[in-house]
Amino acid sequence: MDKLIVEGGNPLAGEVSISGAKNAALPILTAAILTEDALRIENVPELRDIATTCALLTQMGIWVRRPEPRVVELSAHALSNPLAPYDLVKTMRASILVLGPLVARCGEARVSLPGGCAIGLRPVDLHIKGLQAMGAEIDIDHGYIHARAKRLQGARIVLDLVTVTGTENLMMAASLAEGTTILENAAREPEVVDLAQCLQAMGARIKGAGTDVITIEGVERLHGATFKVMPDRIETGTFLVATAMTGGRVVLTDTRPDILDAVITKLRETGALIEAGNDAISICADTRPLAVGLRTAPYPAFPTDMQAQFVALNAIAEGTAIVTETIFENRFMHVQELRRLGAEIEVEGNTAVITGTPNLAGATVMATDLRASACLVLAGLVARGETVVDRIYHLDRGYQAIEAKLSALGARIRRAS
Ligand code: EPZ
């Protein structure tokens, strides 16, 4: 199984280009289900989860082609098998995003019920309740969600809590429903907005994406389109934190500072100098970071997908920080591994108290999920000697060529099997 070997101590310097956003590309690719016409999606990151999504769509009878790097062309004119099998869903929870589009387009769907994952139970009850409110008949049968509806009906849906893929699933389903759907307490994440813009390019009538009330007026059919996926704000944030930890000067290009306010604000509190342009961000850090406390919450608050990276930063920062995770009930798995590098962290319920130390020392550590693996790589960049990060396949799910990008910035990092 692949490992990453990181030798600490090098400041980062230079320029790095940010890839397309995983969490926008995944729902956007599933939107192909909603039309018979061809879709061309550009700036698609080269990731394990993208390959899984393409395999999932292909086995449904959808024509999928990758004519050039970072481009996917799809056509669902011959969609014949509205099924998402266990073997694919177990490797990627986001497969649930085919449920809404399949019911809306085919009137039927069989989707394996996603199991729990390392960071939490992660039920999909709100996806199901929303589709039932639109008139779908749903039952769980032998581990599969079986949904049927002649034609979905517009409805007013108040989501019990903010769910990103739940909002995306229901927004896609509602775009072909009869009548108008109002989603209240909807997720405001930039990835939801990117999906809405792709659906609008396909002819959908959507208002309010980016706010907590989204209105979708259903149409008879959607048409083809060409769409460019937004940059990945979590990859951007990860490289910014890496530079704040190692010290150095880095320019991130092909990104969007306007969707990273909460992260940039926290990084400035650590003492890093950050300049934001239209599609580039530069960071300069030449002192040991100051500890910074944070609390995760739905957008536009501090993203849970940046929590682990900031725990790594606080582990070497000057001072003590309190980090509270409010989205997932089990998202401190990286703490035990950081302790193996000598970090001083106490966890109580959903709160971690981190006392910074400049003396992390390399060791072998194990990645448990995508963002935890990024956290361990960042800690390895500053720990004395070599850190070996095991189970790196988690990282490949969400970061395109991270070791090549970090090496280009001067990091000593390599892959080994
Ligand atoms: C999306 O997951 C992202 N994944 C996650 O990124 C991200 O951490 C999360 O949103 C929060 O920002 C994708 O977009 C593919 P939620 P999602 O539904 O949609 C509870 C990464 O690292 N909930 O917003 O699955 C749930 O258990 C990944 O890239 C229900 O109770 O998250 C959680 O506590 C990890 N019932 C909370 O809501 C439901 O039906 C928010 O989850 C749905 C969710």
Side-chain angles (χ1 to χ4, degrees), residues 50-280:
I50 297 294
T52 305
T53 303
C54 291
L56 182 62
L57 298 174
T58 302
Q59 64 85 45
M60 291 178 187
I62 296 176
W63 179 86
V64 179
R65 210 165 66 90
R66 307 185 72 167
E68 54 204 270
R70 295 184 298 286
V71 171
V72 181
E73 292 178 347
L74 317 98
S75 167
H77 64 284
L79 196 172
S80 55
N81 179 29
L83 168 75
Y86 172 76
D87 284 344
L88 286 171
V89 175
K90 76 175 182 199
T91 66
M92 184 189 70
R93 301 180 50 75
S95 310
I96 190 72
L97 285 163
V98 302
L99 180 63
L102 284 175
V103 183
R105 165 89 192 281
C106 313
E108 185 182 10
R110 277 175 63 78
V111 175
S112 175
L113 192 64
C117 94
I119 65 176
L121 291 176
R122 304 184 71 179
V124 292
D125 56 318
L126 301 176
H127 301 235
I128 292 172
K129 266 167 79 179
L131 288 171
Q132 287 170 327
M134 285 193 240
E137 280 171 44
I138 299 186
D139 46 63
I140 311 289
D141 172 37
H142 296 299
Y144 278 76
I145 303 166
H146 190 194
R148 298 163 307 284
K150 274 210 182 53
R151 180 158 186 211
L152 293 171
Q153 302 297 311
R156 177 170 169 267
I157 300 168
V158 183
L159 291 161
D160 295 346
L161 46 78
V162 175
T163 162
V164 175
T165 51
T167 299
E168 294 166 343
N169 230 335
L170 299 174
M171 188 167 68
M172 288 192 277
S175 60
L176 284 180
E178 188 165 7
T180 301
T181 297
I182 301 174
L183 287 181
E184 295 194 33
N185 196 26
R188 301 166 56 187
E189 268 66 6
E191 293 78 17
V192 171
V193 176
D194 213 39
L195 172 64
Q197 287 168 350
C198 178
L199 293 170
Q200 285 162 339
M202 295 165 66
R205 298 195 188 134
I206 300 174
K207 288 200 188 84
T211 75
D212 59 359
V213 180
I214 302 177
T215 304
I216 307 108
E217 196 191 327
V219 295
E220 284 293 327
R221 73 177 298 277
L222 293 171
H223 53 70
T226 294
F227 189 79
K228 184 179 180 193
V229 172
M230 61 180 276
D232 196 311
R233 64 190 168 108
I234 306 299
E235 184 192 19
T236 306
T238 303
F239 277 96
L240 290 172
V241 172
T243 312
M245 290 175 68
T246 62
R249 289 163 190 273
V250 168
V251 178
L252 307 176
T253 59
D254 307 310
T255 186
R256 275 186 51 194
D258 63 310
I259 53 177
L260 274 163
D261 288 348
V263 171
I264 291 175
T265 303
K266 288 292 169 190
L267 276 165
R268 287 189 168 129
E269 287 175 28
T270 71
L273 298 177
I274 294 185
E275 277 171 39
N278 282 336
D279 60 357

Side-chain angles (χ1 to χ4, degrees), residues 318-338:
E318 210 164 319
T320 300
I322 297 178
V323 170
T324 303
E325 172 59 53
T326 73
I327 307 281
F328 293 109
E329 63 274 21
N330 188 35
R331 203 168 202 181
F332 282 128
M333 297 289 281
H334 39 284
V335 167
Q336 197 49 33
E337 299 303 310
L338 285 174

Side-chain angles (χ1 to χ4, degrees), residues 173 242 375:
C375 153

